[in-house]
Amino acid sequence: MADKIVTGPVQVFVIGFEKPDFNGQILAELKKARKRGVIRLVDLLFVQKDAGGSISSTMHLTDLSEAERLRLGAVAGGLIGLEVGGLEGMEEGAVRGELRVAARDYGMSSAQLADIADSIPAGSAGVVMVIEHHWATELRDA
């Protein structure tokens, strides 16, 4: 099967867990939705802090292949560059977008990522999830 770029509407969720007591139910429900084709997971970053404020675990998940991730970064970067600097900006934006995705930094600086991690209170967890509403592609195609 050939790699495909995201074709449905995309939504970003940020969810905080004040008293995380994970037993696998959240991932199981997410897996069910993905298996049914309702959503496709573009990216997920999970961070948990222990009571002392140290990051105790992180998790990264995606349904995209590496080639799809890089192409999506190039397209997103190109669109931003087009808006900012016309055709020349589009070319530079595409290159930069692909590099940012390859670096797995979500297009943010290390300082911005550190700020996000700092904003998660000790003894809690947070997840940033980007999903494609895959069900909508079938609606569109109909």
Side-chain angles (χ1 to χ4, degrees):
M1 180 172 118
D3 288 334
K4 61 184 174 185
I5 198 154
V6 174
T7 59
V10 174
Q11 187 171 18
V12 178
F13 291 89
V14 179
I15 303 170
F17 303 96
E18 287 182 18
K19 296 179 183 175
D21 182 22
F22 301 111
N23 56 19
Q25 288 179 309
I26 295 170
L27 284 176
E29 289 301 318
L30 184 58
K31 185 177 181 178
K32 283 183 200 176
R34 292 161 65 200
K35 188 174 183 177
R36 286 193 318 261
V38 175
I39 63 168
R40 191 161 73 136
L41 191 58
V42 176
D43 219 340
L44 178 143
L45 177 64
F46 170 83
V47 177
Q48 185 171 1
K49 281 190 174 179
D50 63 23
S54 297
I55 302 221
S56 59
S57 67
T58 60
M59 177 177 47
H60 172 82
L61 295 172
T62 183
D63 289 333
L64 303 182
S65 70
E66 190 64 16
E68 288 173 315
R69 288 181 68 255
L70 294 175
R71 265 202 330 247
L72 181 59
V75 168
L79 290 172
I80 293 167
L82 180 64
E83 179 69 24
V84 173
L87 292 177
E88 190 175 297
M90 180 181 72
E91 291 175 13
E92 184 177 340
V95 170
R96 287 184 182 203
E98 187 172 352
L99 291 173
R100 292 296 236 182
V101 167
R104 290 192 179 270
D105 65 5
Y106 303 88
M108 294 181 272
S109 70
S110 57
Q112 289 170 314
L113 289 170
D115 285 345
I116 291 171
D118 287 344
S119 70
I120 298 168
S124 66
V127 66
V128 179
M129 183 170 41
V130 182
I131 64 166
E132 173 191 20
H133 288 277
H134 197 63
W135 62 270
T137 62
E138 295 173 15
L139 182 67
R140 179 206 57 222
D141 293 345

